Amino acid sequence: MRIKIRSIIPYLWFKFNTKQIILFIICLVIILIDIIININKWQNRFKYSNKNSKLLYLKTNELNFYNDPILSQRQFDIVLSYYSEDIDIVAQYIRYLKNISNIEKLNPRVIVYNKNSNINNQVLKLLLDADIIQLLPNLGREGGTYLYHIINNYHIIANHTLFSQAGVEGITDRGLADWYFDRLEKQFNSSVGYMPLVTNIMISNYDCDSHITGNFPRMSQLWAMLEQSLCPPGGQAVAFRGQFLVSSKRIQNRPLSVYKYIYDLITANSSHWLHRDLRSLIFKSTPDNPIFGHVVERIWTILFKCFKSDLHDRCRRRECACFDES
């Protein structure tokens, strides 16, 4: 049966009264205005970012490879792995972290590892208001960065270290997302041994190395190496995305040799046998993005002994931490 368009219009008009139509039009106008405002904000931010991005790529040999030494232990370090993320958003993220009262009282030190040799380290340090900046080769994803920091500061590692990618999850225009803020402000204290800093949907249980989203056979081998036993069935909590907070006690509970071994694997050159591990037909493992890096992203809970299968439920109840023994 064919319906004529002319017969539909009167039907719609009578179906919705004049008040409803006016309200609908007003809502449309408000939505359009909101879209225009947000587009302007985005354009302004993009222009500002472009300006700072140009500064980052200043070519001065001495400054490009400027490195700060880490000489002492602190109460709280913020360690970021940076490549080419939006400099203004990263700077904003650092400000948000430092302004959390629970963190601010610990006088946090900001350490940025830059993995982009084209970027001027001195300018990057200035724009991010960082305390320490170091240049690293672009190897091993963020996991390689974190392991490098642990290995080179093992004996003077901060009481607590917040490890994060510069492309952070959990930031808004107004501040940290509610779940992120709550963990640092309400759930963190000096007894925390490990705390994942990702949304609850990124915390799930693996059956050793098997998961509905994909399998990582090397995980069960790492379990065996770390725990000196076969990986038991029943589920191990995994928090992926590479954002977490860990204590010096948890780090130093593992021997330095363990971190060195994993670091050598994650930063291996292209001829290493690990790059021949298959994840999918389209994924190519390379030194800057090794498939093993995705495995390491999923073993922090195991490495720092916070892998009980109730982790997701505890995070949902706002008890998202494993605690050190006093």
Side-chain angles (χ1 to χ4, degrees):
M1 184 175 71
R2 290 168 57 189
I3 300 174
K4 292 182 180 178
I5 293 174
R6 279 182 298 178
S7 65
I8 293 175
I9 295 171
Y11 172 77
L12 290 174
W13 183 264
F14 286 112
K15 183 82 176 168
F16 302 102
N17 61 40
T18 308
K19 237 183 226 183
Q20 288 174 314
I21 293 171
I22 293 170
L23 187 62
F24 177 72
I25 292 169
I26 290 169
C27 287
L28 272 180
V29 170
I30 291 170
I31 290 168
L32 284 171
I33 292 169
D34 189 54
I35 289 170
I36 291 165
I37 289 170
N38 280 307
I39 287 173
N40 285 334
K41 278 184 184 175
W42 178 82
Q43 285 176 332
N44 289 335
R45 175 182 281 181
F46 182 73
K47 285 175 188 173
Y48 184 56
S49 296
N50 259 353
K51 178 182 164 188
N52 283 337
S53 292
K54 287 175 184 176
L55 291 173
L56 282 174
Y57 291 90
L58 284 174
K59 294 289 182 185
T60 50
N61 290 332
E62 289 121 5
L63 296 181
N64 259 40
F65 299 98
Y66 171 89
N67 276 316
D68 293 307
I70 301 174
L71 301 174
S72 61
Q73 183 181 34
R74 294 284 285 271
Q75 279 191 287
F76 197 99
D77 280 342
I78 297 167
V79 172
L80 296 186
S81 181
Y82 182 86
Y83 184 73
S84 61
E85 291 82 359
D86 186 307
I87 192 68
D88 299 311
I89 293 176
V90 179
Q92 192 175 44
Y93 174 45
I94 291 170
R95 286 195 298 273
Y96 289 160
L97 290 174
K98 291 173 75 174
N99 287 337
I100 293 174
S101 61
N102 208 17
I103 305 299
E104 185 182 18
K105 66 186 181 186
L106 299 175
N107 190 23
R109 176 173 60 180
V110 177
I111 301 170
V112 177
Y113 288 100
N114 169 31
K115 304 185 86 168
N116 187 342
S117 60
N118 292 316
I119 282 179
N120 186 308
N121 258 9
Q122 187 78 328
V123 174
L124 183 63
K125 180 181 180 179
L126 182 67
L127 293 176
L128 295 182
D129 193 23
D131 299 291
I132 290 171
I133 193 149
Q134 292 189 9
L135 180 69
L136 291 183
N138 186 22
L139 300 171
R141 295 169 51 86
E142 80 286 341
T145 308
Y146 304 166
L147 289 165
Y148 175 91
H149 179 79
I150 290 170
I151 291 165
N152 286 275
N153 301 282
Y154 184 78
H155 299 292
I156 56 167
I157 202 81
N159 291 347
H160 284 92
T161 305
L162 189 159
F163 288 100
S164 175
Q165 301 180 53
V168 64
E169 181 216 353
I171 185 174
T172 72
D173 287 338
R174 299 177 306 281
L176 294 178
D178 291 342
W179 62 266
Y180 200 166
F181 179 84
D182 186 80
R183 287 188 203 169
L184 294 179
E185 181 64 30
K186 306 293 184 184
Q187 299 179 46
F188 170 68
N189 60 50
S190 60
S191 298
V192 167
Y194 171 88
M195 180 186 287
L197 298 175
V198 294
T199 59
N200 289 353
I201 60 171
M202 291 190 176
I203 302 170
S204 62
N205 287 336
Y206 276 58
D207 186 1
C208 289
D209 50 29
S210 303
H211 193 259
I212 191 171
T213 59
N215 300 329
F216 294 86
R218 300 294 174 188
M219 283 183 66
S220 56
Q221 294 179 334
L222 285 171
W223 173 284
M225 182 188 81
L226 293 169
E227 296 300 302
Q228 297 293 293
S229 68
L230 295 179
C231 182
Q236 299 78 34
V238 166
F240 55 93
R241 185 81 173 89
Q243 287 176 207
F244 57 89
L245 189 155
V246 64
S247 70
S248 56
K249 287 183 182 178
R250 293 269 163 151
I251 289 172
Q252 291 168 347
N253 275 343
R254 299 286 187 189
L256 182 57
S257 58
V258 163
Y259 300 107
K260 287 181 176 179
Y261 179 68
I262 299 173
Y263 179 77
D264 286 344
L265 291 177
I266 203 173
T267 58
N269 64 39
S270 56
S271 64
H272 195 280
W273 49 264
L274 261 180
H275 290 295
R276 294 194 290 276
D277 279 359
L278 289 178
R279 180 180 174 193
S280 70
L281 294 175
I282 58 172
F283 183 89
K284 184 181 179 183
S285 183
T286 56
D288 65 319
N289 187 18
I291 187 169
F292 188 67
H294 297 272
V295 177
V296 171
E297 183 184 353
R298 288 160 173 78
I299 67 156
W300 300 116
T301 53
I302 299 165
L303 194 60
F304 301 128
K305 288 186 174 290
C306 189
F307 53 74
K308 288 186 179 177
S309 57
D310 66 344
L311 182 61
H312 178 273
D313 291 335
R314 287 194 288 110
C315 288
R316 188 169 45 82
R317 298 195 306 267
R318 298 175 58 217
E319 300 169 1
C320 199
C322 291
F323 295 93
D324 290 332
E325 294 179 6
S326 56

